[in-house]
């Protein structure tokens, strides 16, 4: 949601377009760092734990957008958001590989990525609709927080359902 609406949010707050564009660049750059760190973390603790950590941090960043609307604080929250969200989507592919047979990985990863992209598109659209209905981004941020709680609940369920992921097999390559 922030990546789609941060420019409009900055305009609404009176900061103009340029700071919002800078914040998108900051989120994107931090997202690259997040993908690298999340890949390293997934290798160490697994995809589900990595996704759960990323979701908790992303949820916290979304929450921070609500009370903090100063320019400096928006840059900081945007950095936190970028650092948290970048590794979430790649974690789904890791989870598929950890929990499903290799012969199903291509089909399942494709399905998961399609669902993720549709969810992100719906989230951006829904946030705009919520803004149109309420005249405020606060409810849109709360909507994003609620979806993060759902994602976190699913990850906790997976972690504590008793089903263990398959151990990684060293290929020697």
């Amino acid at each position: 949601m922030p990546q789609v609406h941060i420019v409009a949010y900055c305009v609404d707050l009176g900061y103009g377009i340029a700071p919002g564009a800078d914040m998108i660049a900051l989120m994107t750059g931090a997202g690259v760092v997040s993908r690298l760190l999340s890949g390293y973390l997934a290798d160490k603790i697994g995809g589900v734990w990595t996704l759960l950590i990323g979701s908790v941090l992303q949820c916290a960043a979304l929450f921070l957008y609500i009370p903090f609307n100063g320019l400096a604080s928006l840059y900081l929250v945007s950095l936190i958001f970028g650092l948290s969200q970048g590794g979430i989507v790649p974690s789904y592919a890791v989870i598929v590989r950890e929990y499903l047979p290799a012969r199903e990985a291509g089909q399942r990863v494709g399905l998961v990525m399609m669902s993720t992209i549709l969810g992100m598109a719906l989230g951006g659209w829904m946030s705009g609709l919520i803004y149109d209905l309420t005249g405020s981004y606060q409810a849109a941020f709360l909507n994003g927080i609620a979806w993060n709680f759902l994602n976190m609940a699913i990850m906790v369920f997976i972690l504590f359902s008793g089903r263990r992921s398959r151990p990684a097999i060293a290929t020697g390559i």
Side-chain angles (χ1 to χ4, degrees):
M1 179 266 173
Q3 291 167 319
V4 175
H5 293 278
I6 194 69
V7 174
Y9 186 51
C10 286
V11 169
D12 282 359
L13 294 173
Y15 298 122
I17 295 170
D22 289 342
M23 288 177 209
I24 290 174
L26 184 62
M27 284 183 219
T28 304
V32 171
V33 173
S34 175
R35 280 172 180 77
L36 296 171
L37 292 175
S38 293
Y40 176 80
L41 192 59
D43 287 344
K44 299 296 179 194
I45 64 172
V48 176
W49 278 107
T50 302
L51 178 58
L52 183 59
I53 291 167
S55 294
V56 167
L57 294 174
Q58 178 176 267
C59 189
L62 287 171
F63 178 77
L64 291 173
Y65 275 110
I66 296 171
F68 298 112
N69 59 9
L71 191 57
S73 61
L74 284 173
Y75 277 107
L76 180 60
V77 174
S78 295
L79 175 66
I80 294 167
F81 182 82
L83 288 171
S84 63
Q85 64 84 31
I88 289 176
V89 173
S91 294
Y92 292 128
V94 174
I95 293 167
V96 167
R97 185 60 191 105
E98 287 175 343
Y99 283 81
L100 298 170
R103 69 182 181 282
E104 298 177 15
Q107 176 186 7
R108 301 297 172 110
V109 168
L111 180 63
V112 167
M113 292 302 152
M114 180 187 73
S115 300
T116 300
I117 291 167
L118 288 173
M120 288 186 290
L122 180 63
W125 173 82
M126 196 178 340
S127 296
L129 178 63
I130 290 169
Y131 176 81
D132 289 344
L133 295 172
T134 65
S136 168
Y137 279 109
Q138 183 172 349
F141 286 123
L142 292 172
N143 180 57
I145 290 166
W147 285 104
N148 268 275
F149 274 118
L150 176 62
N151 194 38
M152 290 183 284
I154 292 168
M155 292 308 106
V156 169
F157 173 77
I158 290 171
L159 284 170
F160 296 106
S161 68
R163 181 175 177 190
R164 304 190 137 216
S165 64
R166 294 177 298 100
I169 299 171
T171 60
I173 295 176

